[in-house]
Amino acid sequence: MATFHLFIIGDEILSGRRQDKHFAHILETLKKRGHKVAGASYLPDDSTVLTEAFKRSLSAGQHVISCGGIGATPDDHTRLAFAHALELPLSLHPEAAELITTRFAEAAYPHRIQMAYFPTGSGLIPNPVNQVAGCFLQHHYLLPGFPSMAWPMLDWILDQHYRDETPEATLSIVLLNAREGELIGVMQAFTTRYPQVGFSSLPSYGNALHPEPHIEFSITAEPELAAEAMSYFQASLDAVLNSQVAK
């Protein structure tokens, strides 16, 4: 299983002029392939902020999917910020340049050709929509902001660089009219026994599916382990609840 961090870049997202569509799609795509999202950052079109974000992710050895800011307009800073974080120059990638000139001919100059400049040593991510490539280096993948381009490019990344794994299973149970505070001991014992299993407790005063107050417990892990862990947790809950009834 690979763990990714997402950088979703653009002032238009932070200002509300456009709604982000990347997070939900990328999360679902990764889950289906047996990978996960460890975190997501919404970042402005600011060269200094982007450079610092890339420095942190590179230093931590993270796998990063970045969407946005790799165009040729003055507000596109992602490629240069990534190069600064790597302490590498931007250089013209011959294959990227050929793709752009083949697609746009004389109209590739003087501006579109700028999109063929990447940190030296980068590999290319093919763009099936308009042939303007993204790039990758050190497990960082720079994609355009347009979902119609970024999403098939993400599929290429996963096909070429990551092996599909068995997706994790999430199992849930709903306990009606329960008090979360009375079950903390059960939860602590469970997380101590299964530290590698994802666990969540979501109390609610009621919703359309369960109008009564309730707690939804969820467990996430490889399918066989999830089933084992849920069986243990259910038995632990039953023991506590039966003890309360006996009193």
Side-chain angles (χ1 to χ4, degrees), residues 25 125-129 143 146-159:
H25 178 86
I125 304 170
N127 181 339
V129 176
L143 304 177
F146 296 104
S148 61
M149 299 179 186
W151 297 353
M153 294 169 77
L154 171 63
D155 290 334
W156 182 90
I157 292 166
L158 297 174
D159 288 340

Side-chain angles (χ1 to χ4, degrees), residues 136-192:
F136 67 90
L137 191 62
Q138 294 192 29
H139 304 299
H140 283 55
Y141 305 90
L142 272 53
L143 304 177
F146 296 104
S148 61
M149 299 179 186
W151 297 353
M153 294 169 77
L154 171 63
D155 290 334
W156 182 90
I157 292 166
L158 297 174
D159 288 340
Q160 297 296 319
H161 295 275
Y162 297 89
R163 183 180 65 185
D164 287 358
E165 304 287 350
T166 301
E168 290 187 321
T170 297
L171 305 179
S172 300
I173 57 174
V174 174
L175 197 60
L176 300 177
N177 298 309
R179 294 183 176 87
E180 193 176 39
E182 296 177 354
L183 299 172
I184 291 176
V186 174
M187 292 185 263
Q188 288 176 332
F190 174 83
T191 55
T192 298

Side-chain angles (χ1 to χ4, degrees), residues 102-151:
T102 299
R103 173 71 172 80
F104 296 102
E106 293 180 0
Y109 297 92
H111 301 302
R112 288 187 175 94
I113 197 65
Q114 299 302 315
M115 293 185 286
Y117 283 82
F118 297 116
T120 302
S122 295
L124 295 188
I125 304 170
N127 181 339
V129 176
N130 69 355
Q131 311 309 312
V132 179
C135 77
F136 67 90
L137 191 62
Q138 294 192 29
H139 304 299
H140 283 55
Y141 305 90
L142 272 53
L143 304 177
F146 296 104
S148 61
M149 299 179 186
W151 297 353

Side-chain angles (χ1 to χ4, degrees), residues 44-61:
D45 292 309
D46 182 295
S47 181
T48 300
V49 172
L50 294 174
T51 299
E52 291 304 313
F54 282 124
K55 283 182 178 179
R56 290 191 296 270
S57 60
L58 288 163
S59 176

